[in-house]
Amino acid sequence: MAKTPSPQELSKINHEPSNDGWMEMPVDFRPGTWCYSGKASALETLELPNPREWQPTDEDWKLPDNWETIIYEGFRERLKKFRSLKIFMDTCVRCGACADKCHFFLGSGDPKNMPVLRAELLRSVYRKDFTTAGKILGKLAGARKLTKDVLKEWFYYFYQCTECRRCSVFCPYGIDTAEVTMMARELLHLVGVNINWVLEPAAKCFTTGNHLGLLPHTFKDSIESLCEDIEDVTGIHIDVPLNKKGADVLFITPSADVFADPGIYTFMGYLLLFEHIGLNYTMSTYASEGGNFGLFTNNETMKKLNSKMYAEAKRLGVKWILGGECGHMWRVVHQYMDTMNGPADFLEVPKSPITGTVFENAASTKMVHITEFTADLIKHGKLKFDPRRNDHRHVTFHDSCNPARAMGLFEEPRYIIKQVCNNFHEMPENTIREQTFCCGSGTGLNTDEYMEMRMRGGLPRASAVKHVHQKHGVDLLSCICAIDRATLSTLMQYWVPAVEVSGVHELVGNALIMEGENERTTDLRDEPLEGMEDDE
């Protein structure tokens, strides 16, 4: 494991371009900047090509003998299948509007992390193989032959992209560099070049129903343990219905919310909310994962992992699906569900059994985001809060890339936070909403061997948090994404150690006034509320 540079060392970033042409710049597989390769067992479970043992630092990557032909045919097939890919290959004029928008470029100074140049790694091969000018003029037309060194370059830099789509906001032609990254990763998968932190969770999802590999009894035990913690704090006993047929709602959330800090406190908030309103819901021990690592793998894996949620909704006979605070789950549902698995005609258009609100925006997917659901409850006066229970916190909000840019969930989380917190402060305008900075560890890059690049990629987000910490005393960064809750915690410990991370519904759970509850002296983390600190 590489030693991560100190914040003082890492913040010394050189953005001055090299005098050498980018095609001549070799890839440096420096420890801390690349991820371990996919294990053969994970590839076999997912039925992906070329399972074997290898590492990116090996001289021989054990590629198939005809690997060039495999990638050529795969590229040709995808150009024919996805019109957007061909448009993205042809329309870029290399204006550079996206260049300084990528958090990895800002944090590393590596020009190949400029979105325009990262995509050029793929475009150059496209020009050589699929354009007349490239075939005739070669390098003069910006074309180059696919070699093993180029393939290694693809691996290195397309796994230094979190598909956050911030660059796309600023592209005058609307090029979605995230889609370019997704296609490049698909091509790499065709010859067995991939990373384990994406494939192993996806494989576990195939075998156990969730990324963490929790078996049904472990999933159940974890939930019951969190219910005991809720009872310790509030005096309220909650029994969570599992695999219950005929409920109104199937609730699905990332498995990390059930098992990992700080997501567990968000999960406790969900349970208090459902108990507060008497929601007729169920959870499933089989579809026990909202996240979808297929988004970081290939379209077929994404489709299969998305379908399990709907298969379970059909088996249990629920009316519609309520989804928790997750990032990639919502991008898949919101952007890809209908063309992959939908429409879900066997479910009803979601209608809140508490307020009667019909969620027309979910008429096709039949799935409602928890912040939409909770904001609607608040608007109709169905929840009782004491926001003073969050007065020991000064809160800011991180727009997670997938629910924000990919789904447009900007105001609902803020509306909720402002109802349950008295101390809320926004980060600078050019770092939030559509222009939000990424956590720096999305798309399966939240692995320990990649820590230097994670801290570099997260620097722009951390800088904005540091600003409101110094100006307003912010000590809690809230968000609606399970990966963000995990990765931002590490990022804050590194760059702004006085700031902790939470989900929005953890704050909801703190503020909810439950019927028959004990007097609250602590929050869900068992930390004393303001005025309840021990005298000593």
Side-chain angles (χ1 to χ4, degrees), residues 129-162:
D129 289 342
F130 299 99
T131 71
T132 302
K135 290 176 181 177
I136 297 172
L137 300 175
K139 192 173 180 180
L140 289 173
R144 62 175 179 166
K145 183 178 179 359
L146 179 62
T147 64
K148 288 183 179 179
D149 286 340
V150 170
L151 189 78
K152 291 181 178 183
E153 190 177 50
W154 281 10
F155 171 83
Y156 191 76
Y157 287 103
F158 285 115
Y159 283 101
Q160 286 187 19
C161 171
T162 50

Side-chain angles (χ1 to χ4, degrees), residues 223-359:
I223 291 175
E224 290 176 349
S225 175
L226 294 178
C227 288
E228 292 175 2
D229 292 341
I230 289 173
E231 191 165 4
D232 288 342
V233 173
T234 68
I236 301 296
H237 178 76
I238 295 176
D239 290 312
V240 177
L242 297 172
N243 305 321
K244 170 185 169 183
K245 292 190 174 182
D248 289 336
V249 173
L250 170 62
F251 178 62
I252 299 179
T253 197
S255 56
D257 284 354
V258 179
F259 206 71
D261 187 331
I264 53 175
Y265 307 114
T266 299
F267 186 79
M268 292 160 71
Y270 299 148
L271 299 187
L272 284 167
L273 174 68
F274 300 157
E275 184 75 11
H276 187 81
I277 61 177
L279 184 66
N280 179 17
Y281 75 103
T282 187
M283 294 187 70
S284 168
T285 58
Y286 302 102
S288 52
E289 178 64 67
N292 191 324
F293 273 32
L295 180 64
F296 319 142
T297 310
N298 58 35
N299 279 268
E300 285 306 309
T301 303
M302 178 172 25
K303 179 178 180 178
K304 289 177 182 177
L305 293 178
N306 187 66
S307 67
K308 67 181 173 59
M309 300 191 298
Y310 288 89
E312 190 66 353
K314 190 171 188 177
R315 184 184 77 85
L316 294 175
V318 300
K319 295 178 180 178
W320 51 277
I321 305 173
L322 180 64
E325 296 181 11
C326 181
H328 42 303
M329 168 173 75
W330 283 106
R331 184 169 173 199
V332 172
V333 169
H334 190 68
Q335 293 195 310
Y336 302 108
M337 161 64 187
D338 280 349
T339 54
M340 291 191 308
N341 304 110
D345 292 336
F346 60 91
L347 295 172
E348 298 178 9
V349 176
K351 178 180 179 180
S352 172
I354 312 302
T355 68
T357 296
V358 177
F359 294 93

Side-chain angles (χ1 to χ4, degrees), residues 44-241:
E44 289 166 354
T45 298
L46 296 170
E47 299 180 339
L48 292 173
N50 197 22
R52 81 273 185 220
E53 298 302 329
W54 68 286
Q55 285 301 334
T57 50
D58 295 343
E59 182 66 28
D60 181 8
W61 283 17
K62 302 177 183 176
L63 301 172
D65 291 337
N66 63 335
W67 69 270
E68 300 102 322
T69 302
I70 292 171
I71 289 183
Y72 173 83
E73 291 299 331
F75 209 160
R76 185 177 61 81
E77 177 188 343
R78 281 156 182 78
L79 287 166
K80 184 177 180 180
K81 184 176 181 181
F82 302 109
R83 287 183 59 203
S84 59
L85 177 60
K86 190 168 191 320
I87 291 171
F88 296 158
M89 290 293 99
D90 287 333
T91 57
C92 177
V93 296
R94 290 176 278 187
C95 68
C98 64
D100 61 346
K101 307 306 185 294
C102 176
H103 48 282
F104 278 120
F105 173 65
L106 293 174
S108 71
D110 188 335
K112 291 184 186 178
N113 272 324
M114 295 179 184
V116 58
L117 190 44
R118 187 187 293 113
E120 197 71 11
L121 305 180
L122 192 64
R123 285 193 187 97
S124 58
V125 174
Y126 163 77
R127 293 191 191 101
K128 178 66 176 175
D129 289 342
F130 299 99
T131 71
T132 302
K135 290 176 181 177
I136 297 172
L137 300 175
K139 192 173 180 180
L140 289 173
R144 62 175 179 166
K145 183 178 179 359
L146 179 62
T147 64
K148 288 183 179 179
D149 286 340
V150 170
L151 189 78
K152 291 181 178 183
E153 190 177 50
W154 281 10
F155 171 83
Y156 191 76
Y157 287 103
F158 285 115
Y159 283 101
Q160 286 187 19
C161 171
T162 50
E163 302 175 15
C164 80
R165 304 170 78 237
R166 188 174 194 264
C167 54
S168 303
V169 173
F170 298 91
C171 177
Y173 291 92
I175 294 172
D176 190 340
T177 305
E179 294 282 348
V180 176
T181 293
M182 291 165 69
M183 288 298 102
R185 288 189 182 186
E186 282 209 16
L187 296 177
L188 290 169
H189 278 292
L190 295 177
V191 293
V193 175
N194 30 53
I195 67 171
N196 198 59
W197 198 247
V198 169
L199 295 191
E200 193 157 4
K204 287 178 179 177
C205 218
F206 270 56
T207 55
T208 66
N210 58 73
H211 292 153
L212 298 180
L214 304 178
L215 296 173
H217 65 277
T218 307
F219 187 74
K220 176 177 178 291
D221 290 346
S222 296
I223 291 175
E224 290 176 349
S225 175
L226 294 178
C227 288
E228 292 175 2
D229 292 341
I230 289 173
E231 191 165 4
D232 288 342
V233 173
T234 68
I236 301 296
H237 178 76
I238 295 176
D239 290 312
V240 177

Side-chain angles (χ1 to χ4, degrees), residues 440-512:
S441 305
T443 66
L445 303 184
N446 52 320
T447 178
D448 288 349
E449 73 269 16
Y450 195 67
M451 193 61 73
E452 179 181 332
M453 286 310 299
R454 287 176 57 186
M455 297 304 100
R456 288 187 181 279
L459 175 57
R461 174 76 296 160
S463 297
V465 175
K466 188 174 184 178
H467 172 78
V468 289
H469 168 66
Q470 293 176 339
K471 185 175 181 179
H472 301 293
V474 163
D475 58 8
L476 190 68
L477 176 61
S478 189
C479 62
I480 54 172
C481 173
I483 284 183
D484 281 349
R485 282 193 288 277
T487 61
L488 288 171
S489 295
T490 305
L491 188 72
M492 292 301 104
Q493 289 166 13
Y494 183 84
W495 287 113
V496 201
V499 176
E500 294 183 289
V501 178
S502 80
V504 168
H505 279 78
E506 175 184 342
L507 301 173
V508 171
N510 286 340
L512 275 171

Side-chain angles (χ1 to χ4, degrees), residues 400-463:
S400 300
C401 301
N402 286 317
R405 269 190 292 269
M407 195 181 177
L409 273 174
F410 302 121
E411 302 310 323
E412 290 88 345
R414 289 176 167 82
Y415 176 68
I416 295 169
I417 292 174
K418 290 174 183 177
Q419 300 300 312
V420 301
C421 295
N422 291 320
N423 306 309
F424 175 70
H425 308 278
E426 289 278 20
M427 286 181 277
E429 196 62 35
N430 64 340
T431 71
I432 60 175
R433 294 186 170 86
E434 292 94 338
Q435 298 186 46
T436 185
F437 275 111
C438 179
C439 67
S441 305
T443 66
L445 303 184
N446 52 320
T447 178
D448 288 349
E449 73 269 16
Y450 195 67
M451 193 61 73
E452 179 181 332
M453 286 310 299
R454 287 176 57 186
M455 297 304 100
R456 288 187 181 279
L459 175 57
R461 174 76 296 160
S463 297

